[in-house]
Amino acid sequence: QVQLVESGGGLVQAGDSLRLSCAASGGTFSNYNMGWFRQAPGKEREFVAAIKWSSSDTYYADSVKGRFTVSRDNAKNTMYLQMNSLKPEDTAVYFCAAKLRYGSRWPLFLGDEYHYWGQGTQVTVSS
């Protein structure tokens, strides 16, 4: 069973950048496809980005495509989300999630498909 801990959130201004990290422990990180989700106050959780276990493929929500980049370093058991050109509508709690890669379909953009979740990190973008 893998444990996930997000970090890197904060308060920034519109147009700024942030890099989120998701540190994994308790499992073999390279066995998992990984994803980022976010949830704004009063809204449902939404998919942001996903990356295959080998980094061979990534997938993005239309709302972040071209601004956000997901990556991972399996040697460091860590996934990243580089967020550029941030907008106030990006304000949310960001969660990372993991799903075992064996038998997994792709792309993975449904939260219910992921097995493990972190506690989240708050990102606030002021206008």
Side-chain angles (χ1 to χ4, degrees), residues 36 38 46-50 57-70 81-87 89-90 94 107 109:
W36 286 101
R38 66 187 182 186
E46 66 171 347
F47 169 77
V48 175
D57 201 2
T58 57
Y59 186 71
Y60 297 93
D62 288 343
S63 59
V64 306
K65 201 173 295 182
R67 300 189 298 122
F68 291 11
T69 303
V70 60
L81 185 67
Q82 178 66 44
M83 305 186 294
N84 298 331
S85 302
L86 282 162
K87 305 175 181 180
E89 50 263 43
D90 294 318
Y94 283 71
F109 52 85

Side-chain angles (χ1 to χ4, degrees), residues 12-27:
V12 297
Q13 293 187 332
D16 286 351
S17 298
L18 270 179
R19 188 176 81 156
L20 305 184
S21 297
C22 172
S25 62

Side-chain angles (χ1 to χ4, degrees), residues 1-120:
Q1 183 170 342
V2 65
Q3 291 82 46
L4 305 173
V5 178
E6 303 93 338
S7 62
L11 172 62
V12 297
Q13 293 187 332
D16 286 351
S17 298
L18 270 179
R19 188 176 81 156
L20 305 184
S21 297
C22 172
S25 62
T28 302
F29 187 58
S30 59
N31 283 344
Y32 294 88
N33 292 327
M34 300 292 295
W36 286 101
F37 290 77
R38 66 187 182 186
Q39 187 166 19
K43 295 188 176 181
E44 293 187 354
R45 182 180 62 195
E46 66 171 347
F47 169 77
V48 175
I51 185 166
K52 272 192 168 181
W53 64 275
S54 60
S55 300
S56 61
D57 201 2
T58 57
Y59 186 71
Y60 297 93
D62 288 343
S63 59
V64 306
K65 201 173 295 182
R67 300 189 298 122
F68 291 11
T69 303
V70 60
S71 62
R72 65 190 293 166
D73 185 338
N74 286 348
K76 295 183 178 180
N77 294 337
T78 304
M79 176 179 63
Y80 305 98
L81 185 67
Q82 178 66 44
M83 305 186 294
N84 298 331
S85 302
L86 282 162
K87 305 175 181 180
E89 50 263 43
D90 294 318
T91 295
V93 178
Y94 283 71
F95 300 89
C96 64
K99 176 180 170 58
L100 281 168
R101 63 183 177 97
Y102 303 105
S104 174
R105 71 178 191 93
W106 184 262
L108 278 172
F109 52 85
L110 297 177
D112 290 348
E113 296 185 279
Y114 286 83
H115 298 137
Y116 305 104
W117 291 83
Q119 294 300 307

